[in-house]
Amino acid sequence: MDVQGVKYHLGEANAGHEELVRVKIDSEVWKDWKGARTFSGTIDIQGSDIPLTESEQKIKINLGEGAGSRLIAYNGYHEITGPFRYIYGSFYADDPLRNVTINVFEQKEDGGSEWSSDSGLMVSAPASNRTEALEVANKLMKKDMRGEALK
């Protein structure tokens, strides 16, 4: 997948502050014997600031339901500090992989990260504007949002 997407913050107050970005995904998605899907590959979002080497950017994402599913978590090793884990966000995709939306966890001053359905940072693709991006996000996240629509 190599498509145009939109990077934007949720919330009507943030309308008009979206940015067109290139979303490139090189992956395989397979199902285990129970039907659970797993993503294996790379996700490259134009302008994203992921502090990893190219070799550390290959990931596996459990696309199932429940806690820990859909996390974009990069693991690596730093010579001075040792092993680390960098969590970028949550990944939602249809089957086959034609539409994607990512909830980007924003870094806080205390070193933690956060995302909110009220004002969280999103990347949705393919999309050429905020309206299309929200349609993709609402379609893919419908089950998790429990009737609430992202705006």
Side-chain angles (χ1 to χ4, degrees), residues 111-130:
S113 60
E114 65 184 355
W115 183 87
S116 153
S117 62
D118 293 326
S119 62
L121 182 60
M122 303 282 290
V123 175
S124 299
S128 59
N129 58 50
R130 181 184 182 86

Side-chain angles (χ1 to χ4, degrees), residues 97-148:
L97 192 69
R98 292 196 179 127
N99 298 285
V100 299
T101 198
I102 298 170
N103 307 352
V104 181
F105 296 171
E106 295 184 278
Q107 300 301 309
K108 299 188 314 185
E109 289 181 19
D110 66 4
S113 60
E114 65 184 355
W115 183 87
S116 153
S117 62
D118 293 326
S119 62
L121 182 60
M122 303 282 290
V123 175
S124 299
S128 59
N129 58 50
R130 181 184 182 86
T131 301
E132 290 177 8
L134 283 167
E135 287 174 8
V136 169
N138 278 308
K139 176 183 167 190
L140 296 175
M141 295 178 62
K142 184 177 184 175
K143 188 173 183 180
D144 284 358
M145 295 307 297
R146 297 183 181 124
E148 178 185 351

Side-chain angles (χ1 to χ4, degrees), residues 41-43 50-60 73-78 84:
T42 59
I43 301 170
I50 298 176
L52 302 168
T53 65
E54 190 172 320
S55 65
E56 294 170 333
Q57 291 188 22
K58 185 162 183 165
I59 54 172
K60 285 188 179 179
Y74 297 95
N75 298 304
Y77 185 85
H78 189 273
F84 68 86

